[in-house]
Amino acid sequence: MRTAIEIEGLGKRYRLGTRSERYDTLREAVARRIRRRGRQEDAAELWALRGVDLAIDEGDVVGIVGRNGAGKTTLLKLVAGIAEPTTGMVRTRGRIAALLDLGTAFHPELTGRENVYLNGAVLGMSRREIARRFDDIVAFADVERFLSTPLKRYSTGMQLRLAFAVAAHLDADIVVVDELLAVGDAEFQRRCLGKMSEFGRDGRTVVFVSHDMASISQLCRRGIWLDRGVVRADGPVGDVLDLYLGSRRERFARVEVPPEPDQAVQLLSVALTDAAGREIELPRRDEPLVVRLRFRARERIPALDVALYLLNRQGVRVIDDAWLDGGAVDDPVVDAGDYEAHVRIPPVLAPGEYTAGVWIGTNHEDFLDREVLSFEVAPRPDDRLPSVSRRRVVQPDVCWTLRSVSRRSET
Amino acid sequence: MAVRVGRRAKPGGGELSSSPESARAARAAHAPWRENRPTDGWLPRVDFRDLWEHREVAAFLALRDVRLRYRQTAFGVAWAIIRPLAAAAIFTIVFGRLVDVPSDGLPYVVFAYAGLTIWTYVSSAVEAAANSLIEDRALVTKVAFPRVLAPVASTLPGLLDLAISLVILGVFMTVTGVAPSAALVVVPVSVAGAVAVSIGAGLLLSALNVKYRDVRYALGFALQTWLFASPVVYPSSLFDGAWRYVFAANPLVGVIDGFRWSVAGAPPPGAYVLVSLATGTLVLAAGVLVFSRMERRFADVV
């Protein structure tokens, strides 16, 4: 088997500030030059990737997993030649299609047809190639009737379909895909997945980043786990996913909230724990989850209320519950002091990503309302991973029984 | 197959089940290695194969800008005529009538419009090029293509306006009875000079603009200064002797004088054109050098 991608000692360093502030002004640069003359300045640095060695064979379909900020996108950018490494090197053989974003070159004022040509050219197709595949692209995207309409009149779904259609018809040998499946509806995701596995069957090399474990395990033969810029595991996809998911259960999720001294009530921290009060990061869908809120009242507050809400990835409020909703507290008067509230959520959440938000206030005043914590709910180990994530909002233990009510004799 | 854990894990990788011997696979088998590694040194590393493979990107980006330029405007392409025409009218009234600036023996309107034809192109091309990487930030951070194509492509749409301007200039010349000379064949050379200067300055400014947004704010002022340092509304014959060579350090002096001579039969420019040629080449070289040195960091910074 020939190698399609070779990576040796690959490292990428970002100067912090370059990423967040995005750009310097000349004055700052000059000032820094002058300051540097006096003493060695220790600019904050971040190694997004460090010492990565990999070889990926032609026709291999590789899934990359890791937490946010683990260096997955950086790795794809270096493989695609979009950014330059700080150390080491990447070698690739064959045409690369980098799908880091859909419709990168799309312009709202241009028509569908014009956008197909522009985007195709930017992704590396020649005009003749696009012309040859134009009908396929349009049919795949299902936008035949709107080819002369400016893109801004398209629905989001149509734009996505068209963007993916262009990308999917690239004649590339290596396809690098970043989190495409996070957008779009279930039907769109199914199409994306279908096209990706087609790439794999055609013998193209596919490197695929996703947070969706189900599609990774379905599509990929090999898994790579990146952790803070370093390859933590590399091997058959099932084993790597096990290691990755296992590691996440050992950590815990807790957010300390920065102090706001002028608020009458202040949230101090939010943490996820199991039923026994141990902090966890990756609750399982079949285990009860406790959200622990610590807050401080700076004065006596009658009728203080605290609410917790959980948003799923589609923005649906799966849980939105206030302390006073159930009348659980007899005397809602709160004296100055620190408090700890435990919100026990029964095991109903479907596996997936959630954002937790907290509201604190009274009938006539809001002290705080903010999203404080993101976490993921893991599937049960014996869950069959669905090929496409279903749109269910909750997944309580539903009981199925099957029995026969009449028997028809075979003749 | 066992999982290998650890930093220097070597590849596993499953066996390929079936590989249809398509044209793609055959081509891939002969594809050369492409490397991405840190650059060092000052010399630019130009990847001509990469440029060639992406040549159509420049065309499509330029085409996009042309299409977008006058879309959803009431006057449409007429703007390409209105803008230089309005400027020529103002300049003719202010400098030609009120101040009575000399015009090398040409009717002032022809003189000014010829200068403005070049100047309008250069200023709009430089401005578009300087902002090109910022405006196409999504492309710079998400797609691998030779970055140089973005600023170069944005100097192209202005050529369309320049062509329209040339036609109007022809009308002015007919009306005022100015006949072109045989030097007309040199027009493409002066236009090429204008394109080269625009690309040079555009590359330089676009690269700096990625890192220092000061460029954006300084640009308007700098262009205004450049306009008055160029023989657009006045002839370079205002400078005598050695001063003219100093004046010609502005590469547009050679370009505009050459253009006026070739298109409208103004007096042919003298040896000072060589100074403009030298500084113009210098600007282009500096643009290419600075751009290729800063290019590989664009995706991190823009």
Side-chain angles (χ1 to χ4, degrees):
Chain A
M1 187 57 53
R2 280 156 43 103
T3 321
I5 306 173
E6 277 182 17
I7 298 173
E8 279 174 28
L10 192 68
K12 177 72 182 175
R13 183 185 57 207
Y14 286 105
R15 228 185 58 218
L16 288 181
T18 354
R19 280 217 303 193
S20 53
E21 288 161 34
R22 292 272 156 169
Y23 60 87
D24 296 345
T25 65
L26 198 58
R27 188 180 56 77
E28 284 163 5
V30 172
R32 204 167 37 238
R33 281 277 152 80
I34 294 167
R35 259 186 281 127
R36 200 176 285 166
R37 200 151 292 172
R39 59 197 152 81
Q40 196 64 34
E41 199 196 8
D42 45 309
E45 290 176 347
L46 173 88
W47 282 88
L49 279 182
R50 209 193 306 237
V52 172
D53 296 291
L54 288 170
I56 293 169
D57 290 338
E58 263 172 26
D60 224 351
V61 181
V62 179
I64 299 182
V65 295
R67 295 157 56 90
N68 289 330
K72 304 184 295 285
T73 302
T74 303
L75 179 62
L76 295 191
K77 282 189 175 180
L78 296 181
V79 169
I82 294 167
E84 184 182 278
T86 312
T87 63
M89 65 111 202
V90 183
R91 291 206 296 166
T92 51
R93 184 152 48 194
R95 264 173 86 171
I96 292 196
L99 310 185
L100 301 192
D101 203 353
L102 282 176
T104 317
F106 271 7
H107 196 289
E109 299 283 347
L110 295 177
T111 66
R113 183 193 318 276
E114 289 163 351
N115 268 309
V116 167
Y117 274 91
L118 178 60
N119 214 26
V122 162
L123 290 175
M125 277 196 266
S126 71
R127 197 169 43 80
R128 279 179 38 214
E129 252 178 288
I130 305 170
R132 203 169 59 233
R133 289 154 195 267
F134 189 81
D135 292 340
D136 292 343
I137 292 174
V138 172
F140 188 87
D142 198 17
V143 294
E144 288 94 337
R145 289 188 299 128
F146 307 100
L147 283 178
S148 308
T149 311
L151 200 73
K152 60 184 176 184
R153 311 242 181 277
Y154 281 40
S155 71
T156 317
M158 281 160 67
Q159 292 191 20
L160 269 179
R161 286 205 306 273
L162 188 62
F164 185 75
V166 176
H169 287 82
L170 274 175
D171 193 19
D173 308 305
I174 301 173
V175 187
V176 173
V177 188
D178 191 7
E179 273 297 352
L180 284 190
L181 304 164
V183 293
D185 54 18
E187 166 61 21
F188 176 76
Q189 294 189 2
R190 212 185 329 268
R191 279 198 201 196
C192 289
L193 274 176
K195 202 71 196 178
M196 302 258 300
S197 53
E198 201 180 303
F199 283 162
R201 281 197 303 278
D202 287 353
R204 301 175 202 231
T205 313
V206 181
V207 182
F208 175 47
V209 163
S210 182
H211 287 289
D212 184 9
M213 301 300 137
S215 46
I216 289 249
S217 68
Q218 191 207 359
L219 277 179
C220 307
R221 287 177 282 252
R222 176 177 169 196
I224 293 170
W225 167 23
L226 273 184
D227 187 29
R228 275 164 288 178
V230 169
V231 176
R232 276 281 291 274
D234 180 0
V237 69
D239 300 350
V240 171
L241 287 190
D242 283 350
L243 281 169
Y244 170 59
L245 291 174
S247 82
R248 299 197 53 180
R249 291 182 61 81
E250 291 157 13
R251 295 210 208 91
F252 51 85
R254 178 170 58 189
V255 171
E256 307 287 338
V257 181
E260 298 164 77
D262 38 323
Q263 282 288 0
V265 179
Q266 199 220 315
L267 187 66
L268 299 171
S269 72
V270 180
L272 300 184
T273 74
D274 61 11
R278 283 188 302 263
E279 289 188 359
I280 50 171
E281 186 196 60
L282 189 71
R284 251 168 43 189
R285 72 163 186 86
D286 58 331
E287 297 167 345
L289 167 66
V290 178
V291 181
R292 190 180 67 208
L293 310 172
R294 286 200 175 123
F295 60 94
R296 174 171 297 162
R298 293 208 165 79
E299 56 198 57
R300 184 183 158 86
I301 296 160
L304 182 75
D305 201 1
V306 179
L308 172 82
Y309 52 89
L310 299 181
L311 308 172
N312 72 7
R313 201 156 182 172
Q314 285 75 42
V316 174
R317 278 186 184 232
V318 183
I319 304 278
D320 187 344
D321 215 82
W323 187 350
L324 296 182
D325 278 358
V329 180
D330 302 330
D331 182 9
V333 177
V334 164
D335 286 311
D338 286 2
Y339 295 85
E340 195 173 275
H342 294 246
V343 190
R344 187 177 190 278
I345 296 161
V348 294
L349 296 176
E353 281 178 37
Y354 292 88
T355 303
V358 174
W359 173 88
I360 301 180
T362 64
N363 267 339
H364 27 261
E365 204 176 351
D366 293 350
F367 296 122
L368 167 124
D369 184 0
R370 63 152 77 153
E371 294 173 4
V372 283
L373 178 71
S374 288
F375 63 96
E376 195 178 324
V377 172
R380 213 166 55 188
D382 56 339
D383 274 349
R384 188 171 54 93
L385 292 174
S387 58
V388 170
S389 57
R390 306 233 184 103
R391 293 281 118 169
R392 63 186 154 212
V393 175
V394 293
Q395 192 179 4
D397 268 328
V398 173
C399 191
W400 282 77
T401 51
L402 181 69
R403 65 191 174 88
S404 113
V405 286
S406 74
R407 186 171 297 246
R408 185 176 297 171
S409 56
E410 299 274 329
T411 46
Chain B
M1 186 164 46
V3 192
R4 278 160 270 238
V5 179
R7 194 164 91 65
R8 296 192 68 89
K10 281 292 171 199
E15 284 302 305
L16 191 62
S17 48
S18 68
S19 160
E21 271 303 313
S22 59
R24 185 200 57 74
R27 191 193 61 217
H30 298 289
W33 285 105
R34 193 185 289 265
E35 279 199 6
N36 186 9
R37 56 163 75 236
T39 39
D40 40 13
W42 255 99
L43 277 182
R45 218 176 41 177
V46 185
D47 188 344
F48 287 104
R49 190 183 67 195
D50 200 31
L51 274 176
W52 179 247
E53 279 173 11
H54 287 87
R55 64 194 180 282
E56 285 182 348
V57 175
F60 275 109
L61 288 177
L63 192 63
R64 173 195 67 179
D65 291 347
V66 169
R67 280 174 171 151
L68 289 178
R69 183 174 282 191
Y70 302 115
R71 197 161 281 191
Q72 234 179 40
T73 56
F75 290 102
V77 188
W79 278 113
I81 305 170
I82 297 168
R83 282 196 308 175
L85 216 54
I90 293 167
F91 285 178
T92 306
I93 292 166
V94 174
F95 297 105
R97 290 283 150 82
L98 299 180
V99 190
D100 202 18
V101 173
S103 54
D104 281 346
L106 292 172
Y108 191 82
V109 68
V110 171
F111 173 85
Y113 199 80
L116 275 171
T117 300
I118 293 293
W119 172 253
T120 309
Y121 166 73
V122 171
S123 62
S124 65
V126 168
E127 194 176 353
N131 291 322
S132 59
L133 293 169
I134 314 272
E135 262 151 40
D136 277 326
R137 174 187 286 124
L139 291 187
V140 174
T141 54
K142 299 280 167 62
V143 187
F145 72 103
R147 314 301 188 209
V148 69
L149 295 180
V152 167
S154 52
T155 63
L156 300 180
L159 289 174
L160 199 70
D161 296 346
L162 190 142
I164 295 171
S165 275
L166 271 177
V167 174
I168 298 171
L169 184 60
V171 173
F172 279 141
M173 285 164 60
T174 318
V175 170
T176 54
V178 178
S181 65
L184 202 59
V185 293
V186 194
V187 167
V189 177
S190 6
V191 172
V195 174
V197 170
S198 304
I199 289 180
L203 287 180
L204 194 66
L205 292 172
S206 64
L208 290 173
N209 202 2
V210 167
K211 202 156 179 209
Y212 309 108
R213 292 301 144 86
D214 305 69
V215 170
R216 200 163 212 168
Y217 306 112
L219 192 62
F221 170 72
L223 283 176
Q224 213 166 29
T225 312
W226 200 6
L227 166 63
F228 287 107
S230 305
V232 177
V233 296
Y234 57 86
S236 52
S237 55
L238 282 187
F239 294 86
D240 325 305
W243 281 113
R244 192 176 293 185
Y245 288 87
V246 177
F247 181 55
N250 169 4
L252 279 190
V253 170
V255 171
I256 292 176
D257 282 1
F259 181 74
R260 267 204 197 104
W261 161 65
S262 56
V263 80
Y272 64 88
V273 166
L274 295 177
V275 177
S276 291
L277 186 68
T279 52
T281 313
L282 214 64
V283 167
L284 187 60
V288 171
L289 206 68
V290 169
F291 192 93
S292 60
R293 183 162 162 79
M294 298 181 75
E295 173 179 34
R296 304 301 299 264
R297 307 247 174 283
F298 286 169
D300 303 339
V301 183
V302 70

